[in-house]
Amino acid sequence: KQTINSQQTENANELLALALLSLTEQFIAQGEVIQAQQTLAEITAITPRYYQQYHVLHQLAYWPEPIDLSRMLLPNNNKLTETHLAEVVYQSPNVQLNKALRFVQANDFSPAIKLLNALKNRAWQAPKQTFWQSLFTSDNEFSLKASTEAQIQNQAINDYARLLLAQLYAQQGEYEKVFIELQAFPQHSPYSESALFLFAFSAQKIKQHTTALSLLTLLHQQYPHSHLGWQASLLMAKQTTTQKGLVQGWQAYQKVETFFLNRLE
């Protein structure tokens, strides 16, 4: 009977922790970081299999402050030293990406580049969804769907690491490396617009004029309402002036001006 009661208590604590983690995610998505912090503080017990999620949410809720392990809850019934904690937590790609971003914020580019190079080609194994986690999903038929989503998330992590690496190279003025890094960037990616703009900008910088003009024109056409699309329009006109002379450049600027005015109307 004691064993059954103990198991019931553990299940109840686990369910409560998952509910609070899910609620924290919603607060973070809505930008309500104070409520996210308060919700995390309500978690009194966490199991090792959910600790990565708990750790990542802590990073997001307290960003840009560095993670403070002293205020984080250690997994219950699991005596972890900081070394063991690193083994459990830092295999998470999201934790690694946040770590790289902290290096970037501190202008410590060398370890950031090293970490992103390791991240961009790595295949991540998505954690299996537990019964309790399935209660918080809108679709419980997640076997094939979860597998597909895991592949999409894996590719998105790799794409973001590659894009961030290219941005670091651009920040250091190494546009040849940017151009090479983004040549094989996948077309269907959540970061394709940013990657395409940076690729076009690097092509312009290294005097790959034909490529730059084609890419900037494509950006102008495909993303007419976005901030990067508008920047691409101006760079396209500038590139036309450089490549084809003042007359055609002037005509390109006039077309861009007309395009802007029509969009504003």
Side-chain angles (χ1 to χ4, degrees):
K1 187 176 180 181
Q2 287 180 346
T3 303
I4 293 173
N5 289 338
S6 176
Q7 184 64 44
Q8 288 176 338
T9 301
E10 185 177 336
N11 287 344
N13 287 337
E14 189 174 87
L15 183 56
L16 176 60
L18 276 170
L20 291 170
L21 289 173
S22 181
L23 188 59
T24 302
E25 286 182 352
Q26 292 180 42
F27 283 138
I28 290 173
Q30 295 165 7
E32 298 173 358
V33 291
I34 301 299
Q35 288 179 285
Q37 293 170 8
Q38 291 171 348
T39 306
L40 281 173
E42 292 181 37
I43 299 175
T44 57
I46 195 81
T47 56
R49 61 181 168 180
Y50 301 125
Y51 198 69
Q52 281 190 11
Q53 182 184 7
Y54 176 71
H55 192 282
V56 171
L57 290 174
H58 251 278
Q59 283 187 318
L60 297 175
Y62 289 93
W63 190 271
E65 296 177 27
I67 199 74
D68 183 3
L69 294 176
S70 64
R71 76 174 164 219
M72 290 184 65
L73 181 72
L74 284 177
N76 59 334
N77 302 321
N78 198 48
K79 296 180 180 179
L80 290 179
T81 63
E82 190 170 335
T83 303
H84 291 145
L85 185 63
E87 293 174 3
V88 172
V89 171
Y90 291 113
Q91 56 186 308
S92 163
N94 297 305
V95 172
Q96 296 284 22
L97 281 172
N98 284 343
K99 187 177 179 182
L101 284 168
R102 290 197 187 283
F103 283 134
V104 173
Q105 284 189 329
N107 293 323
D108 197 358
F109 297 143
S110 181
I113 289 172
K114 184 178 179 180
L115 184 55
L116 290 169
N117 270 314
L119 279 166
K120 68 178 183 179
N121 296 317
R122 186 169 174 182
W124 301 95
Q125 186 66 39
K128 292 182 179 180
Q129 193 170 30
T130 66
F131 168 73
W132 296 125
Q133 285 173 309
S134 71
L135 296 178
F136 295 95
T137 61
S138 57
D139 183 3
N140 287 332
E141 297 176 2
F142 56 78
S143 55
L144 180 60
K145 183 180 177 182
S147 176
T148 304
E149 287 182 352
Q151 291 176 356
I152 293 172
Q153 288 178 12
N154 183 79
Q155 187 61 52
I157 288 166
N158 293 349
D159 293 349
Y160 185 69
R162 187 179 298 276
L163 177 61
L164 187 57
L165 184 60
Q167 288 174 338
L168 275 180
Y169 289 144
Q171 194 169 341
Q172 297 176 89
E174 298 179 283
Y175 294 106
E176 286 277 2
K177 289 184 178 180
V178 177
F179 189 81
I180 293 169
E181 192 64 49
L182 295 178
Q183 272 183 322
F185 200 87
Q187 182 180 358
H188 302 291
S189 167
Y191 308 107
S192 58
E193 182 186 353
S194 298
L196 185 59
F197 179 82
L198 192 56
F199 187 42
F201 186 70
S202 66
Q204 194 174 55
K205 285 289 187 179
I206 63 174
K207 303 189 185 305
Q208 294 277 353
H209 297 309
T210 303
T211 301
L213 185 57
S214 298
L215 293 172
L216 291 167
T217 303
L218 180 63
L219 270 163
H220 167 74
Q221 293 171 347
Q222 285 195 352
Y223 305 100
H225 299 289
S226 77
H227 178 63
L228 291 178
W230 284 46
Q231 288 188 66
S233 301
L234 292 172
L235 289 175
M236 179 188 67
K238 180 181 178 182
Q239 185 63 44
T240 302
T241 306
T242 302
Q243 192 172 344
K244 298 184 177 181
L246 289 173
V247 175
Q248 291 192 45
W250 174 252
Q251 292 172 351
Y253 275 111
Q254 284 183 315
K255 287 180 181 179
V256 170
E257 180 188 29
T258 302
F259 172 78
F260 282 171
L261 292 174
N262 288 337
R263 290 296 174 188
L264 287 171
E265 288 177 4

Coordinates of all heavy atoms in Angstrom, one line a residue, residues 182-260:
L182 N 26.6 29.7 -46.8 CA 25.2 29.7 -47.2 C 24.9 29.2 -48.6 O 23.7 29.2 -49.0 CB 24.7 31.2 -47.1 CG 24.7 31.7 -45.7 CD1 24.2 33.2 -45.7 CD2 23.8 30.9 -44.7
Q183 N 25.9 28.8 -49.3 CA 25.7 28.2 -50.7 C 24.7 27.0 -50.6 O 23.9 26.8 -51.5 CB 27.0 27.8 -51.3 CG 27.7 29.0 -52.1 CD 28.9 28.5 -52.8 OE1 29.7 27.8 -52.2 NE2 29.2 29.1 -54.0
A184 N 24.9 26.2 -49.6 CA 24.1 24.9 -49.6 C 22.9 25.0 -48.6 O 22.4 24.0 -48.2 CB 25.0 23.8 -49.1
F185 N 22.5 26.3 -48.3 CA 21.4 26.4 -47.3 C 20.1 26.0 -48.0 O 19.8 26.3 -49.1 CB 21.3 27.9 -46.9 CG 20.5 28.2 -45.7 CD1 21.2 28.2 -44.4 CD2 19.2 28.4 -45.7 CE1 20.5 28.4 -43.2 CE2 18.5 28.6 -44.5 CZ 19.1 28.6 -43.3
P186 N 19.3 25.1 -47.2 CA 18.1 24.6 -47.8 C 17.1 25.7 -48.2 O 16.9 26.6 -47.5 CB 17.6 23.6 -46.7 CG 18.2 24.1 -45.5 CD 19.5 24.7 -45.8
Q187 N 16.4 25.4 -49.3 CA 15.4 26.4 -49.8 C 14.2 26.5 -48.9 O 13.7 27.5 -48.6 CB 15.0 26.0 -51.2 CG 14.0 27.0 -51.8 CD 13.6 26.6 -53.2 OE1 14.1 25.6 -53.8 NE2 12.7 27.4 -53.9
H188 N 13.8 25.3 -48.4 CA 12.6 25.3 -47.6 C 13.0 25.2 -46.1 O 13.2 24.1 -45.6 CB 11.7 24.1 -48.0 CG 11.3 24.1 -49.4 ND1 10.4 25.0 -49.9 CD2 11.6 23.3 -50.5 CE1 10.2 24.8 -51.2 NE2 10.9 23.8 -51.5
S189 N 13.2 26.3 -45.5 CA 13.6 26.4 -44.2 C 12.9 27.6 -43.5 O 12.6 28.6 -44.2 CB 15.1 26.6 -44.1 OG 15.5 27.0 -42.8
P190 N 12.6 27.6 -42.2 CA 12.0 28.7 -41.6 C 12.9 30.0 -41.6 O 12.5 31.1 -41.3 CB 11.8 28.3 -40.1 CG 12.5 27.0 -40.0 CD 12.8 26.4 -41.3
Y191 N 14.2 29.8 -41.9 CA 15.2 30.9 -41.9 C 15.7 31.2 -43.3 O 16.7 31.9 -43.5 CB 16.4 30.5 -41.0 CG 16.0 30.0 -39.6 CD1 16.1 28.7 -39.3 CD2 15.5 30.9 -38.7 CE1 15.7 28.3 -38.0 CE2 15.1 30.5 -37.5 CZ 15.2 29.2 -37.1 OH 14.8 28.7 -35.9
S192 N 14.9 30.7 -44.3 CA 15.4 30.9 -45.7 C 15.5 32.4 -46.1 O 16.4 32.8 -46.9 CB 14.5 30.1 -46.7 OG 13.1 30.6 -46.6
E193 N 14.5 33.2 -45.6 CA 14.5 34.6 -46.0 C 15.8 35.3 -45.5 O 16.5 36.0 -46.2 CB 13.3 35.3 -45.5 CG 13.2 36.8 -45.9 CD 12.1 37.6 -45.2 OE1 11.2 36.9 -44.6 OE2 12.0 38.8 -45.4
S194 N 16.1 35.1 -44.2 CA 17.3 35.7 -43.6 C 18.5 35.2 -44.3 O 19.5 36.0 -44.5 CB 17.3 35.5 -42.1 OG 16.2 36.0 -41.5
A195 N 18.6 33.9 -44.5 CA 19.8 33.3 -45.2 C 20.0 33.9 -46.6 O 21.1 34.2 -47.0 CB 19.6 31.8 -45.2
L196 N 18.9 34.0 -47.3 CA 18.9 34.5 -48.7 C 19.4 35.9 -48.7 O 20.3 36.3 -49.6 CB 17.5 34.4 -49.3 CG 17.4 34.7 -50.8 CD1 18.3 33.8 -51.7 CD2 16.0 34.6 -51.3
F197 N 18.9 36.7 -47.8 CA 19.4 38.1 -47.8 C 20.9 38.2 -47.4 O 21.6 38.9 -48.1 CB 18.6 38.9 -46.7 CG 19.0 40.4 -46.6 CD1 18.5 41.3 -47.5 CD2 19.9 40.8 -45.6 CE1 18.9 42.6 -47.4 CE2 20.3 42.1 -45.6 CZ 19.8 43.0 -46.4
L198 N 21.3 37.5 -46.4 CA 22.7 37.5 -46.1 C 23.6 36.9 -47.2 O 24.7 37.4 -47.4 CB 22.9 36.7 -44.8 CG 24.3 36.8 -44.1 CD1 24.6 38.3 -43.7 CD2 24.3 36.0 -42.8
F199 N 23.1 35.9 -47.9 CA 23.8 35.3 -49.0 C 24.0 36.4 -50.1 O 25.1 36.5 -50.7 CB 23.1 34.1 -49.5 CG 23.8 33.3 -50.6 CD1 25.1 33.0 -50.5 CD2 23.1 32.8 -51.6 CE1 25.8 32.3 -51.5 CE2 23.7 32.0 -52.6 CZ 25.1 31.8 -52.5
A200 N 22.9 37.1 -50.4 CA 22.9 38.1 -51.4 C 23.9 39.2 -51.0 O 24.7 39.8 -51.9 CB 21.5 38.7 -51.7
F201 N 23.8 39.6 -49.8 CA 24.7 40.7 -49.3 C 26.1 40.3 -49.4 O 27.0 41.2 -49.8 CB 24.3 41.0 -47.8 CG 25.0 42.2 -47.3 CD1 24.7 43.5 -47.7 CD2 26.0 42.1 -46.3 CE1 25.4 44.6 -47.2 CE2 26.6 43.2 -45.8 CZ 26.3 44.4 -46.2
S202 N 26.5 39.1 -49.0 CA 27.8 38.6 -49.1 C 28.3 38.6 -50.5 O 29.5 38.9 -50.8 CB 28.0 37.3 -48.4 OG 27.3 36.3 -49.1
A203 N 27.4 38.1 -51.4 CA 27.8 38.1 -52.9 C 28.1 39.5 -53.4 O 29.0 39.7 -54.2 CB 26.6 37.5 -53.7
Q204 N 27.3 40.5 -52.9 CA 27.6 41.8 -53.3 C 28.9 42.3 -52.8 O 29.7 43.0 -53.5 CB 26.5 42.7 -52.8 CG 26.4 44.1 -53.4 CD 25.2 44.9 -52.9 OE1 25.0 45.1 -51.7 NE2 24.4 45.4 -53.9
K205 N 29.3 41.9 -51.5 CA 30.5 42.4 -50.9 C 31.7 41.8 -51.6 O 32.8 42.4 -51.7 CB 30.5 42.0 -49.4 CG 29.6 42.9 -48.6 CD 30.2 44.3 -48.4 CE 29.4 45.1 -47.4 NZ 30.0 46.4 -47.3
I206 N 31.6 40.5 -52.1 CA 32.8 39.9 -52.7 C 32.8 40.0 -54.2 O 33.5 39.3 -55.0 CB 32.9 38.4 -52.3 CG1 31.7 37.6 -52.8 CG2 33.1 38.3 -50.8 CD1 31.8 36.1 -52.6
K207 N 31.9 41.0 -54.7 CA 31.8 41.4 -56.1 C 31.3 40.2 -57.0 O 31.8 40.1 -58.2 CB 33.1 41.9 -56.6 CG 33.6 43.1 -55.7 CD 34.8 43.8 -56.3 CE 35.3 44.9 -55.4 NZ 34.3 45.9 -55.1
Q208 N 30.5 39.4 -56.5 CA 29.8 38.4 -57.4 C 28.5 39.0 -57.9 O 27.4 38.8 -57.4 CB 29.5 37.1 -56.5 CG 30.7 36.3 -56.0 CD 31.2 35.4 -57.1 OE1 30.6 35.2 -58.2 NE2 32.3 34.8 -56.8
H209 N 28.7 40.0 -58.8 CA 27.7 40.9 -59.2 C 26.4 40.2 -59.8 O 25.3 40.6 -59.4 CB 28.2 41.9 -60.2 CG 29.3 42.8 -59.6 ND1 29.1 43.5 -58.4 CD2 30.5 43.1 -60.1 CE1 30.2 44.2 -58.2 NE2 31.1 44.0 -59.1
T210 N 26.6 39.3 -60.7 CA 25.5 38.6 -61.3 C 24.7 37.8 -60.3 O 23.4 37.9 -60.3 CB 26.0 37.7 -62.4 OG1 26.8 38.4 -63.4 CG2 24.8 37.0 -63.1
T211 N 25.4 37.1 -59.4 CA 24.7 36.3 -58.4 C 23.9 37.3 -57.4 O 22.8 37.0 -57.1 CB 25.7 35.5 -57.6 OG1 26.4 34.6 -58.5 CG2 25.0 34.7 -56.5
A212 N 24.6 38.4 -57.0 CA 24.0 39.3 -56.1 C 22.7 39.9 -56.7 O 21.7 40.0 -56.0 CB 25.0 40.4 -55.7
L213 N 22.8 40.3 -57.9 CA 21.6 41.0 -58.6 C 20.5 40.0 -58.7 O 19.3 40.3 -58.4 CB 22.0 41.5 -59.9 CG 20.9 42.3 -60.7 CD1 20.4 43.5 -59.8 CD2 21.4 42.8 -62.0
S214 N 20.8 38.7 -59.0 CA 19.7 37.7 -59.1 C 19.0 37.5 -57.8 O 17.8 37.4 -57.7 CB 20.3 36.4 -59.7 OG 20.8 36.6 -61.0
L215 N 19.9 37.3 -56.8 CA 19.3 37.0 -55.4 C 18.5 38.2 -54.8 O 17.5 38.0 -54.2 CB 20.5 36.7 -54.5 CG 21.3 35.4 -54.8 CD1 22.5 35.3 -53.9 CD2 20.4 34.2 -54.5
L216 N 19.0 39.4 -55.0 CA 18.3 40.6 -54.5 C 17.0 40.8 -55.2 O 16.0 41.2 -54.6 CB 19.2 41.8 -54.6 CG 20.4 41.9 -53.7 CD1 21.4 43.0 -54.1 CD2 20.0 42.0 -52.3
T217 N 17.0 40.5 -56.5 CA 15.7 40.6 -57.3 C 14.7 39.6 -56.8 O 13.5 39.9 -56.7 CB 16.0 40.4 -58.8 OG1 17.0 41.4 -59.3 CG2 14.7 40.6 -59.6
L218 N 15.2 38.4 -56.5 CA 14.4 37.3 -56.0 C 13.8 37.7 -54.6 O 12.6 37.5 -54.4 CB 15.2 36.0 -55.9 CG 14.4 34.8 -55.4 CD1 13.3 34.4 -56.3 CD2 15.4 33.6 -55.2
L219 N 14.6 38.3 -53.8 CA 14.1 38.7 -52.5 C 13.1 39.8 -52.6 O 12.0 39.8 -51.9 CB 15.3 39.3 -51.7 CG 16.0 38.3 -50.8 CD1 17.4 38.8 -50.4 CD2 15.2 38.0 -49.5
H220 N 13.3 40.8 -53.5 CA 12.4 41.9 -53.8 C 11.0 41.3 -54.2 O 10.0 41.8 -53.8 CB 13.0 42.8 -54.8 CG 12.1 43.8 -55.4 ND1 11.6 44.9 -54.7 CD2 11.5 43.8 -56.7 CE1 10.8 45.5 -55.5 NE2 10.7 44.9 -56.7
Q221 N 11.1 40.3 -55.0 CA 9.8 39.7 -55.6 C 9.1 38.8 -54.6 O 7.9 38.8 -54.5 CB 10.1 39.0 -56.9 CG 10.6 39.8 -58.0 CD 11.1 39.1 -59.2 OE1 11.3 37.8 -59.1 NE2 11.3 39.7 -60.3
Q222 N 9.9 38.0 -53.8 CA 9.2 37.0 -53.0 C 8.8 37.6 -51.6 O 7.9 37.0 -51.0 CB 10.2 35.8 -52.7 CG 10.4 34.9 -53.9 CD 11.0 33.6 -53.6 OE1 11.5 33.4 -52.5 NE2 11.0 32.7 -54.5
Y223 N 9.5 38.6 -51.1 CA 9.2 39.1 -49.8 C 8.9 40.6 -49.9 O 9.6 41.4 -49.3 CB 10.3 38.9 -48.8 CG 10.7 37.4 -48.8 CD1 11.8 36.9 -49.5 CD2 9.9 36.5 -48.0 CE1 12.1 35.5 -49.4 CE2 10.3 35.2 -47.9 CZ 11.3 34.7 -48.6 OH 11.7 33.4 -48.5
P224 N 7.8 41.0 -50.6 CA 7.6 42.5 -50.8 C 7.2 43.2 -49.6 O 7.3 44.4 -49.5 CB 6.5 42.5 -51.9 CG 5.8 41.2 -51.7 CD 6.8 40.2 -51.3
H225 N 6.7 42.5 -48.6 CA 6.1 43.2 -47.4 C 7.1 43.2 -46.2 O 6.9 43.8 -45.2 CB 4.8 42.6 -46.9 CG 3.7 42.6 -47.9 ND1 3.1 43.8 -48.3 CD2 3.2 41.7 -48.7 CE1 2.2 43.6 -49.2 NE2 2.2 42.3 -49.5
S226 N 8.2 42.4 -46.3 CA 9.1 42.3 -45.2 C 10.2 43.3 -45.1 O 10.5 43.9 -46.2 CB 9.7 40.9 -45.2 OG 10.8 40.8 -46.1
H227 N 10.7 43.5 -43.9 CA 11.8 44.5 -43.8 C 13.0 44.1 -44.6 O 13.6 45.0 -45.3 CB 12.2 44.5 -42.3 CG 13.3 45.4 -42.0 ND1 13.3 46.8 -42.2 CD2 14.6 45.2 -41.5 CE1 14.4 47.4 -41.8 NE2 15.2 46.4 -41.4
L228 N 13.4 42.8 -44.7 CA 14.5 42.4 -45.5 C 14.2 42.6 -47.0 O 15.1 42.9 -47.8 CB 14.9 41.0 -45.2 CG 15.5 40.7 -43.8 CD1 15.7 39.2 -43.6 CD2 16.8 41.5 -43.6
G229 N 12.9 42.4 -47.4 CA 12.6 42.6 -48.8 C 12.7 44.0 -49.2 O 13.2 44.3 -50.3
W230 N 12.4 44.9 -48.3 CA 12.6 46.4 -48.6 C 14.1 46.7 -48.7 O 14.5 47.5 -49.6 CB 11.9 47.2 -47.6 CG 10.4 47.2 -47.8 CD1 9.6 46.2 -48.0 CD2 9.5 48.4 -47.7 NE1 8.3 46.6 -48.1 CE2 8.2 47.9 -47.9 CE3 9.7 49.7 -47.5 CZ2 7.1 48.8 -48.0 CZ3 8.6 50.6 -47.5 CH2 7.3 50.1 -47.8
Q231 N 14.8 46.2 -47.8 CA 16.3 46.4 -47.9 C 16.9 45.9 -49.2 O 17.7 46.5 -49.8 CB 17.0 45.8 -46.7 CG 16.8 46.5 -45.4 CD 17.6 46.0 -44.3 OE1 18.8 46.1 -44.3 NE2 17.0 45.3 -43.3
A232 N 16.4 44.7 -49.6 CA 16.9 44.0 -50.8 C 16.5 44.9 -52.0 O 17.3 44.9 -53.0 CB 16.2 42.6 -50.9
S233 N 15.4 45.6 -52.0 CA 15.0 46.4 -53.1 C 16.0 47.5 -53.3 O 16.4 47.8 -54.5 CB 13.6 47.0 -52.9 OG 12.6 46.0 -52.7
L234 N 16.4 48.2 -52.2 CA 17.4 49.2 -52.4 C 18.8 48.7 -52.8 O 19.4 49.4 -53.6 CB 17.5 50.0 -51.0 CG 16.3 50.8 -50.6 CD1 16.4 51.3 -49.2 CD2 16.0 51.9 -51.6
L235 N 19.2 47.6 -52.2 CA 20.4 47.0 -52.6 C 20.4 46.6 -54.1 O 21.4 46.6 -54.8 CB 20.8 45.8 -51.7 CG 21.2 46.1 -50.3 CD1 21.3 44.9 -49.5 CD2 22.4 47.0 -50.2
M236 N 19.2 46.1 -54.5 CA 19.1 45.7 -55.9 C 19.3 46.9 -56.9 O 20.0 46.8 -57.9 CB 17.7 45.1 -56.2 CG 17.4 44.7 -57.6 SD 15.6 44.3 -57.8 CE 14.8 45.8 -57.6
A237 N 18.7 48.0 -56.5 CA 18.9 49.2 -57.3 C 20.4 49.7 -57.3 O 20.9 50.1 -58.3 CB 18.0 50.4 -56.8
K238 N 21.0 49.6 -56.1 CA 22.4 49.9 -56.0 C 23.3 49.0 -56.9 O 24.2 49.5 -57.6 CB 22.8 49.9 -54.6 CG 24.3 50.2 -54.3 CD 24.7 50.1 -52.8 CE 26.1 50.4 -52.6 NZ 26.5 50.2 -51.2
Q239 N 23.0 47.7 -56.8 CA 23.7 46.7 -57.6 C 23.5 47.0 -59.1 O 24.5 46.8 -59.9 CB 23.2 45.3 -57.3 CG 24.0 44.2 -57.9 CD 25.5 44.2 -57.5 OE1 25.8 44.4 -56.3 NE2 26.4 44.1 -58.5
T240 N 22.3 47.3 -59.5 CA 22.1 47.6 -60.9 C 22.9 48.8 -61.4 O 23.5 48.8 -62.5 CB 20.6 48.0 -61.1 OG1 19.8 46.8 -60.7 CG2 20.3 48.2 -62.6
T241 N 23.0 49.8 -60.5 CA 23.8 51.0 -60.8 C 25.3 50.6 -61.0 O 26.0 51.0 -61.9 CB 23.7 52.1 -59.7 OG1 22.4 52.4 -59.5 CG2 24.5 53.3 -60.1
T242 N 25.8 49.8 -60.1 CA 27.2 49.3 -60.1 C 27.5 48.5 -61.4 O 28.5 48.6 -62.0 CB 27.5 48.5 -58.9 OG1 27.3 49.3 -57.7 CG2 29.0 48.1 -58.9
Q243 N 26.5 47.6 -61.7 CA 26.8 46.6 -62.7 C 26.4 47.1 -64.1 O 27.1 46.8 -65.1 CB 25.9 45.4 -62.4 CG 26.3 44.1 -63.2 CD 25.6 42.9 -62.7 OE1 25.1 42.9 -61.6 NE2 25.5 41.9 -63.5
K244 N 25.3 48.0 -64.2 CA 24.8 48.3 -65.5 C 24.9 49.8 -65.9 O 24.4 50.2 -66.9 CB 23.4 47.8 -65.7 CG 23.3 46.3 -65.5 CD 21.9 45.8 -65.8 CE 21.8 44.3 -65.7 NZ 20.4 43.8 -66.0
G245 N 25.4 50.6 -64.9 CA 25.5 52.0 -65.2 C 24.5 52.9 -64.6 O 23.4 52.4 -64.1
L246 N 24.7 54.2 -64.7 CA 23.8 55.2 -64.0 C 22.4 55.2 -64.6 O 21.5 55.4 -63.9 CB 24.5 56.6 -64.1 CG 25.7 56.8 -63.3 CD1 26.3 58.2 -63.6 CD2 25.4 56.7 -61.8
V247 N 22.3 55.1 -65.9 CA 21.0 55.2 -66.5 C 20.0 54.1 -66.0 O 18.9 54.4 -65.6 CB 21.1 55.2 -68.1 CG1 19.7 55.2 -68.7 CG2 21.9 56.4 -68.6
Q248 N 20.5 52.9 -66.1 CA 19.7 51.8 -65.7 C 19.5 51.8 -64.1 O 18.5 51.3 -63.6 CB 20.3 50.4 -66.1 CG 20.2 50.2 -67.7 CD 20.5 48.8 -68.1 OE1 20.0 47.9 -67.5 NE2 21.3 48.7 -69.1
G249 N 20.6 52.2 -63.5 CA 20.5 52.4 -62.0 C 19.4 53.4 -61.6 O 18.6 53.1 -60.7
W250 N 19.4 54.5 -62.3 CA 18.3 55.5 -62.0 C 16.9 55.0 -62.3 O 16.0 55.2 -61.5 CB 18.6 56.7 -62.9 CG 17.5 57.8 -62.9 CD1 16.6 58.1 -63.8 CD2 17.3 58.7 -61.8 NE1 15.8 59.1 -63.4 CE2 16.2 59.5 -62.1 CE3 17.9 58.9 -60.5 CZ2 15.7 60.5 -61.3 CZ3 17.3 59.8 -59.7 CH2 16.3 60.6 -60.1
Q251 N 16.8 54.2 -63.3 CA 15.5 53.6 -63.7 C 15.1 52.6 -62.6 O 13.9 52.5 -62.2 CB 15.6 52.9 -65.0 CG 15.7 53.9 -66.2 CD 16.0 53.1 -67.5 OE1 16.2 51.9 -67.5 NE2 15.9 53.9 -68.6
A252 N 16.1 51.9 -62.1 CA 15.8 50.9 -61.0 C 15.4 51.6 -59.7 O 14.4 51.1 -59.1 CB 17.1 50.0 -60.7
Y253 N 16.0 52.7 -59.4 CA 15.6 53.4 -58.2 C 14.2 54.0 -58.3 O 13.4 54.0 -57.4 CB 16.6 54.6 -57.9 CG 17.8 54.1 -57.1 CD1 19.1 54.1 -57.7 CD2 17.7 53.8 -55.7 CE1 20.2 53.7 -56.9 CE2 18.8 53.4 -55.0 CZ 20.0 53.4 -55.6 OH 21.1 53.0 -54.8
Q254 N 13.9 54.4 -59.5 CA 12.5 55.0 -59.8 C 11.5 53.9 -59.6 O 10.4 54.1 -59.0 CB 12.4 55.6 -61.2 CG 13.1 56.9 -61.3 CD 12.9 57.5 -62.7 OE1 13.1 56.8 -63.7 NE2 12.6 58.8 -62.8
K255 N 11.8 52.7 -60.1 CA 10.8 51.5 -60.0 C 10.7 51.2 -58.5 O 9.6 50.9 -58.1 CB 11.4 50.3 -60.8 CG 11.2 50.5 -62.3 CD 11.8 49.2 -63.0 CE 11.7 49.4 -64.5 NZ 12.2 48.2 -65.2
V256 N 11.8 51.2 -57.8 CA 11.7 50.9 -56.3 C 10.9 51.9 -55.6 O 10.0 51.6 -54.7 CB 13.1 50.8 -55.7 CG1 13.1 50.7 -54.2 CG2 13.8 49.6 -56.3
E257 N 11.1 53.2 -56.0 CA 10.3 54.3 -55.3 C 8.8 54.1 -55.6 O 8.0 54.2 -54.7 CB 10.7 55.6 -55.8 CG 10.0 56.8 -55.2 CD 10.3 58.1 -55.9 OE1 10.6 58.1 -57.1 OE2 10.2 59.2 -55.2
T258 N 8.4 53.8 -56.8 CA 7.0 53.6 -57.2 C 6.5 52.4 -56.4 O 5.3 52.4 -55.9 CB 6.9 53.3 -58.7 OG1 7.5 54.4 -59.4 CG2 5.5 53.1 -59.1
F259 N 7.3 51.3 -56.3 CA 6.9 50.1 -55.6 C 6.6 50.5 -54.1 O 5.6 50.0 -53.6 CB 8.0 49.1 -55.7 CG 7.8 47.9 -54.9 CD1 6.9 46.9 -55.2 CD2 8.5 47.7 -53.7 CE1 6.8 45.7 -54.5 CE2 8.3 46.6 -52.9 CZ 7.4 45.6 -53.3
F260 N 7.5 51.2 -53.5 CA 7.3 51.6 -52.1 C 6.1 52.4 -51.9 O 5.3 52.1 -51.0 CB 8.5 52.4 -51.6 CG 9.8 51.6 -51.3 CD1 11.0 52.2 -51.0 CD2 9.7 50.2 -51.3 CE1 12.1 51.5 -50.8 CE2 10.8 49.5 -51.0 CZ 12.0 50.1 -50.7

